[in-house]
Amino acid sequence: MAELIVEIVALDRKIWNGTARLVRVRTTEGDIGIMPGHESMAGLLTAGEFAIDRVEGDRLRGTIDSGFVSVDNNRVTVVADEVSLESENRSA
């Protein structure tokens, strides 16, 4: 089964990295869901919630302020000034 390699970073530190089945973020164009095989893209993020459906089956949720998302070859990178996680499930 294909999976995404995901990295969430704030300007001053790495927040979370791991594998996922789905990443949901809010861009200036609207909410998007990123699954394995998603076309390459880059987008500006707006303040709001994000969610990561981890391969292990649980969901990691949090909030971000402005930033950007990059998707390329099943790799998703989210960079934001401030990131808050609702769960302390981290595998950095």
Side-chain angles (χ1 to χ4, degrees):
M1 177 177 162
E3 57 190 42
L4 298 166
I5 299 168
V6 182
E7 184 173 31
I8 309 276
V9 296
L11 291 179
D12 59 345
R13 68 192 188 287
K14 183 184 293 188
I15 302 296
W16 184 87
N17 69 332
T19 55
R21 296 177 287 116
L22 174 67
V23 175
R24 292 186 189 110
V25 292
R26 181 170 293 154
T27 71
T28 56
E29 302 293 317
D31 291 355
I32 62 169
I34 302 161
M35 296 175 67
H38 196 284
E39 66 183 38
S40 296
M41 62 153 286
L44 294 175
L45 298 173
T46 60
E49 297 180 352
F50 69 89
I52 299 169
D53 290 354
R54 295 173 9 124
V55 169
E56 293 83 3
D58 60 330
R59 178 171 287 163
L60 179 70
R61 295 177 186 261
T63 57
I64 60 170
D65 61 359
S66 61
F68 70 89
V69 60
S70 169
V71 180
D72 189 39
N73 292 326
N74 289 331
R75 295 182 80 72
V76 179
T77 304
V78 174
V79 178
D81 290 335
E82 294 293 326
V83 180
S84 297
L85 295 178
E86 287 182 12
S87 168
E88 291 302 312
N89 264 341
R90 298 181 189 186
S91 60

